[in-house]
């Protein structure tokens, strides 16, 4: 997967953050800020709100380094989950504040939650596409964005037609999980940025 870090790096980074090493936060920011900002922007569709969410995510990580559990998966996935949760919360608040000044009806709450679900699904799909191996991503891009069939994609990728079909099938299976699974490891508890 793209930008994947070894588990040992993840554990060392968590330990450095727990010791309060500011350089560790800077390194983590350099590695993951573009992921955090792009996922935030995908959910919020607002540059300023995405910037604020990015700051909130790294503040949460700095204040809660032990919230990450290496046994549950890579730090990249955890950070994506934290991002998705904070961005979704910001989106919910925005819709409540922009809505009518009357108490929220169940219908209004459902409309807000539907918008949050749609934005979260789109962000998860983006995360999956950017995280999948480049061979799968290239096959999907050729067929869906450049409108190539699997035979043309196979020629352009320099692989057999069976391999092109296999890559497309696997890429689509990964992408379909965007609607069936939530983002991993959301933040919870006190100290969570609002």
């Amino acid at each position: 997967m793209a930008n994947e870090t070894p588990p040992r790096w993840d554990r060392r980074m968590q330990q450095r953050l727990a010791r309060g090493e500011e350089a560790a936060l800077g390194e983590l920011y350099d590695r993951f800020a573009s992921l955090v900002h792009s996922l935030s922007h995908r959910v919020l569709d607002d540059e300023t709100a995405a910037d604020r969410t990015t700051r909130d995510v790294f503040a949460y990580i700095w204040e809660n380094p032990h919230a990450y559990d290496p046994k549950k998966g890579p730090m990249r996935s955890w950070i994506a989950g934290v991002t998705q949760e904070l961005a979704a919360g910001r989106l919910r608040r925005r819709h409540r504040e922009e809505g009518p000044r009357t108490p929220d009806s169940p219908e209004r709450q459902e409309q807000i939650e539907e918008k949050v679900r749609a934005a979260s699904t789109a962000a998860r799909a983006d995360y999956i596409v950017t995280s999948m191996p480049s061979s799968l991503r290239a096959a999907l891009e050729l067929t869906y964005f450049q409108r190539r069939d699997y035979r043309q994609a196979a020629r352009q990728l320099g692989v057999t037609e069976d391999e092109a079909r296999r890559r497309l099938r696997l890429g689509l299976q990964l992408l379909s999980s965007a609607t069936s699974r939530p983002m991993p490891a959301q933040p919870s508890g006190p100290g969570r940025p609002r």
Side-chain angles (χ1 to χ4, degrees), residues 7 9 11 30 36 39-40 46 53 58 62 75 77 86-87 98 108 111 115 135 145 167 177 180 187 189 192 194:
W9 185 92
R11 285 190 300 278
D30 290 345
V36 171
L39 288 175
S40 298
D46 179 305
T53 302
F58 286 98
W62 178 249
M75 185 172 273
S77 296
L86 294 179
E98 291 173 353
R108 172 109 175 102
Q111 288 173 343
K115 288 178 182 181
S135 60
F145 297 118
R167 289 179 186 184
S177 70
S180 61
R192 181 172 148 193
R194 301 261 178 232

Side-chain angles (χ1 to χ4, degrees), residues 20-155:
E21 288 184 33
E22 290 180 20
L25 183 63
E27 187 179 328
L28 195 71
Y29 182 87
D30 290 345
R31 184 178 294 251
F32 295 116
S34 64
L35 167 72
V36 171
H37 190 273
S38 67
L39 288 175
S40 298
H41 195 276
R42 184 69 165 140
V43 171
L44 297 162
D45 195 29
D46 179 305
E47 190 70 27
T48 302
D51 289 344
R52 286 187 188 125
T53 302
T54 300
R55 284 191 303 270
D56 288 350
V57 166
F58 286 98
Y60 175 83
I61 292 168
W62 178 249
E63 294 169 5
N64 302 283
H66 294 294
Y68 167 64
D69 183 355
K71 294 175 187 160
K72 292 185 177 179
M75 185 172 273
R76 175 185 166 84
S77 296
W78 177 70
I79 291 171
V82 169
T83 302
Q84 198 278 333
E85 178 69 16
L86 294 179
R90 190 176 295 275
L91 184 62
R92 284 184 186 97
R93 285 188 302 280
R94 181 193 319 157
H95 283 293
R96 282 189 204 107
E97 291 166 2
E98 291 173 353
R101 297 293 176 219
T102 59
D104 285 342
S105 66
E107 296 82 21
R108 172 109 175 102
Q109 284 295 331
E110 184 54 36
Q111 288 173 343
I112 292 170
E113 287 306 310
E114 183 53 40
K115 288 178 182 181
V116 169
R117 277 191 297 274
S120 296
T121 298
R124 178 153 176 76
D126 283 352
Y127 175 75
I128 289 168
V129 169
T130 59
S131 297
M132 71 176 49
S134 60
S135 60
L136 301 181
R137 189 171 50 251
L140 286 175
E141 287 173 355
L142 284 170
T143 55
Y144 288 94
F145 297 118
Q146 297 181 24
R147 303 247 186 237
R148 307 280 195 271
D149 66 24
Y150 75 92
R151 289 182 180 99
Q152 294 167 324
R155 278 193 300 278

